[in-house]
Amino acid sequence: MRNSVIMLVCLLTTFSVLHFPQLAASRYSNYTFPDNFMFGVASAAFQIEGGWNAGGRGESVWDTYLHEHPDFTADNSNGDIAADSYNKYKQDVIMVESLGVKYYRLSISWSRILPRGTDNYVNKEGVNYYRSLFKELLKANITPVVTLFHFDLPTPFMDLGGWTNPVMVDYFEDYARIVFTLFGDLVKLWNTINEPHVYCLHGYGSDYFVPVLNFPGIADYLCSHYLLLGHSRVYHLYDKHFRPHQKGKIFLTCEAFYAEPKDKNNITDVEAAERVLQLRLGLYAHPVFSENGDYPETVRKRINELSIIQGYKRSRLPVFTQEEIKLLKGSSDFFGINHYTSALMSSCPMQENWPVPSIDHDLGVFMETDPSWPIYASDWLAVYPPGFRKLLSWITKNYGTKIPIIVTENGMSDYGGINDYNRVSYFNEYLEQLLLAIYEDGCNVIGYFAWSLMDDFEWRDGYSVKFGLFHVDFDSPERSRTPKLSAINFREIVRTKRINFDYLKRPE
Ligand code: NOJ
């Protein structure tokens, strides 16, 4: 293992020195990353592990749905083998180590630990897999940051309506208790839930993501509500029963693109942009990070009013009890945020393709991207680095600096290949905006995780787009991994704590 890391590091170094001699007059970022800044890379179980039925694993909704609907993904693919991290996890650890980062954010497949979803049967082989992986990471001096729920709900729960059913809060707590008990000696940083908004909007409010519930304006809010309560329940479980002896931290990760008014001088566009940030991010962040707790008042008012106009007897947005509000408030040790892109907002009461009710209709905002922002693969991912700084400032303005922010994902997709100059620029430019957010806007950002460690299964897009720092050859049975230029560049940033914009330049 040691030898493999040394070889990989040598390979990365030799490659960069031979092919990319440092230019005499390199342009550097004005600021450097603080000494204790947490640099890491991220992945998620379903996207890399494969081994879908290996070692006693149960099915998640993504397994079941893709087996029944092979054409759901862009390339008719599924997660059966993915990057085969179930078998290749030692290589993954070597890759993380070669980047010089000290943190690796990954998720546990709930179905690998509890094949039926419920805690009356624990799968020993699944437990052994994660224990070996965590030990391997710790041996390499890498701290695991472990997400409990990253989109892959055990299939049996769909018969109960998945996260629209309040009983999921109990089952999530049962699962978390097992996981804290079995791994808490090795894992000290826990991420409860990844991107509740994306999960609920796409999987419950539309047919874009599994479980394809497609019950807009209702199931998406129920899902959000119970995920938040699940988060809070698990936070307090850890806080009360595990933290005292395990001494770890636990937090929630939200997602947000930055919503920029299309015309900054047009008040309705400015209001539209704010509405989007409050509904897409505030809906989850306000109950947890604001002083008063609960859903943002403006969001509550808008959905209540529209619900009544639409003939509902009560708001489509569920209501927290006073006790729930109290328990949710402050229930996260960090502010986890995933950020990729930005969009331009203008006010627009209705569009032909918006169902009524729906989150789109509740928002009443037309979204588009600026044609000058490049899109390299995923159609939703337009590159606009200043949006990152603006988002971090928005978070700071709304929720203060007391709770440190960790960027748990940031990255971009292309169509593959190891000479990924666009990704090199993306990371350089987004990281520069992060430095500006820290040093010029006073944002308390303490960590950054690049998405993703390697090419993986990108949900609806299958393997057609790539996010990795490492290329994975999905045609080879070995799923061989090769560092891309972005890996070399990221390693240099981590090593020097500074961005050298000329370190890897596209040949003229
Ligand atoms: C965020 C999600 O957490 C991750 O699973 C996904 O691959 C990336 N966005 C890119 O779409």
Side-chain angles (χ1 to χ4, degrees):
M1 159 97 178
R2 211 80 313 271
N3 288 347
S4 320
V5 181
I6 294 168
M7 265 173 60
L8 194 49
V9 169
C10 286
L11 185 83
L12 292 180
T13 315
T14 321
F15 186 79
S16 48
V17 168
L18 283 180
H19 293 261
F20 306 95
Q22 297 250 346
L23 300 179
S26 289
R27 183 170 83 82
Y28 288 95
S29 53
N30 288 340
Y31 299 106
T32 54
F33 290 91
D35 273 343
N36 49 0
F37 192 77
M38 299 163 68
F39 274 114
V41 280
S43 73
F46 191 81
Q47 296 181 267
I48 60 166
E49 274 179 16
W52 75 278
N53 59 358
R57 180 183 179 277
E59 285 190 27
S60 79
V61 284
W62 279 88
D63 298 295
T64 310
Y65 194 82
L66 296 184
H67 290 159
E68 283 167 11
H69 304 88
D71 54 359
F72 186 71
T73 46
D75 51 4
N76 296 353
S77 65
N78 57 40
D80 287 4
I81 305 176
D84 198 20
S85 288
Y86 183 64
N87 294 305
K88 308 258 173 318
Y89 71 91
K90 288 194 179 171
Q91 280 187 29
D92 296 354
V93 175
I94 292 171
M95 281 146 57
V96 178
E97 195 180 4
S98 75
L99 294 170
V101 299
K102 293 283 168 252
Y103 295 87
Y104 179 38
R105 174 175 178 254
L106 70 163
S107 77
I108 291 181
S109 153
W110 185 335
S111 313
R112 206 179 281 294
I113 302 295
L114 304 176
R116 301 174 190 151
T118 49
D119 67 348
N120 56 335
Y121 170 65
V122 179
N123 177 33
K124 277 219 178 72
E125 277 190 67
V127 174
N128 292 343
Y129 169 68
Y130 288 112
R131 282 201 70 84
S132 309
L133 170 54
F134 299 147
K135 280 186 186 162
E136 196 73 15
L137 284 165
L138 293 173
K139 224 166 58 190
N141 207 10
I142 295 159
T143 303
V145 180
V146 178
T147 309
L148 296 177
F149 181 62
H150 194 126
F151 300 170
D152 48 352
L153 191 69
T155 302
F157 291 132
M158 277 328 292
D159 290 339
L160 303 175
W163 279 100
T164 61
N165 190 333
V167 80
M168 279 312 303
V169 176
D170 296 331
Y171 287 125
F172 187 51
E173 184 185 25
D174 295 341
Y175 159 58
R177 186 181 297 106
I178 294 281
V179 164
F180 296 151
T181 306
L182 293 173
F183 306 121
D185 56 330
L186 305 174
V187 177
K188 304 296 170 188
L189 290 173
W190 295 103
N191 201 187
T192 52
I193 289 164
N194 178 68
E195 297 194 349
H197 181 74
V198 167
Y199 176 73
C200 297
L201 172 76
H202 293 323
Y204 291 67
S206 85
D207 58 3
Y208 185 66
F209 256 31
V210 176
V212 197
L213 236 57
N214 203 9
F215 198 151
I218 292 184
D220 32 24
Y221 292 127
L222 287 170
C223 166
S224 302
H225 194 75
Y226 296 120
L227 270 180
L228 277 167
L229 290 174
H231 157 79
S232 155
R233 182 79 75 76
V234 165
Y235 173 88
H236 290 287
L237 169 76
Y238 187 77
D239 197 45
K240 210 159 154 207
H241 298 290
F242 293 90
R243 199 203 297 269
H245 58 282
Q246 295 188 351
K247 312 228 177 296
K249 304 244 187 221
I250 179 160
F251 66 105
L252 173 72
T253 278
C254 299
E255 167 275 349
F257 58 65
Y258 185 66
E260 178 115 317
K262 183 167 183 189
D263 176 356
K264 288 177 201 59
N265 300 316
N266 179 338
I267 181 72
T268 61
D269 288 4
V270 173
E271 285 168 359
E274 183 63 15
R275 267 206 305 283
V276 169
L277 286 164
Q278 289 296 352
L279 201 150
R280 294 185 69 123
L281 176 56
L283 191 75
Y284 310 91
H286 202 272
V288 177
F289 299 103
S290 71
E291 295 236 324
N292 297 333
D294 204 352
Y295 291 124
E297 253 174 60
T298 51
V299 175
R300 159 64 64 208
K301 187 162 174 280
R302 197 169 168 97
I303 303 174
N304 286 2
E305 284 172 6
L306 283 169
S307 302
I308 300 305
I309 293 170
Q310 289 155 354
Y312 294 93
K313 294 281 170 299
R314 59 183 175 280
S315 180
R316 288 177 282 105
L317 181 65
V319 177
F320 291 123
T321 64
Q322 283 308 312
E323 181 65 11
E324 289 167 345
I325 292 177
K326 225 170 77 197
L327 288 171
L328 265 161
K329 226 171 20 162
S331 64
S332 188
D333 297 325
F334 305 114
F335 192 118
I337 185 79
N338 293 351
H339 173 78
Y340 289 84
T341 188
S342 296
L344 297 177
M345 309 294 149
S346 46
S347 186
C348 166
M350 191 57 194
Q351 285 279 304
E352 231 172 60
N353 58 343
W354 291 349
V356 179
S358 65
I359 289 187
D360 281 335
H361 181 258
D362 288 340
L363 278 171
V365 176
F366 183 71
M367 306 184 194
E368 62 198 301
T369 59
D370 188 314
S372 71
W373 302 346
I375 294 177
Y376 295 111
S378 313
D379 56 5
W380 55 269
L381 207 169
V383 178
Y384 177 59
F388 191 21
R389 174 179 179 184
K390 292 179 191 182
L391 177 71
L392 293 168
S393 298
W394 187 91
I395 292 172
T396 303
K397 193 180 105 212
N398 279 267
Y399 309 112
T401 53
K402 219 169 87 205
I403 301 293
I405 300 172
I406 299 180
V407 178
T408 35
E409 286 181 30
N410 173 242
M412 62 150 267
S413 60
D414 59 17
Y415 290 116
I418 59 170
N419 294 328
D420 57 341
Y421 288 103
N422 292 329
R423 184 170 291 103
V424 168
S425 312
Y426 181 98
F427 282 128
N428 284 346
E429 288 166 22
Y430 272 70
L431 280 165
E432 183 186 34
Q433 295 296 321
L434 187 149
L435 284 172
L436 294 171
I438 296 178
Y439 290 103
E440 298 196 359
D441 303 344
C443 300
N444 185 12
V445 187
I446 61 161
Y448 174 93
F449 289 69
W451 183 271
S452 179
L453 171 61
M454 67 190 118
D455 294 340
D456 63 3
F457 175 80
E458 175 54 20
W459 308 114
R460 194 77 197 249
D461 288 331
Y463 302 93
S464 65
V465 301
K466 318 285 183 187
F467 275 89
L469 291 168
F470 282 77
H471 168 267
V472 175
D473 181 357
F474 290 102
D475 294 327
S476 79
E478 293 76 34
R479 297 295 193 271
S480 27
R481 288 114 153 93
T482 316
K484 301 183 189 178
L485 293 183
S486 55
I488 297 166
N489 189 64
F490 191 55
R491 181 172 160 270
E492 186 64 6
I493 295 173
V494 173
R495 190 182 74 79
T496 59
K497 300 194 186 316
R498 202 172 180 197
I499 307 159
N500 175 355
F501 292 91
D502 295 313
Y503 184 61
L504 291 185
K505 287 209 93 169
R506 193 191 299 271
E508 300 286 313

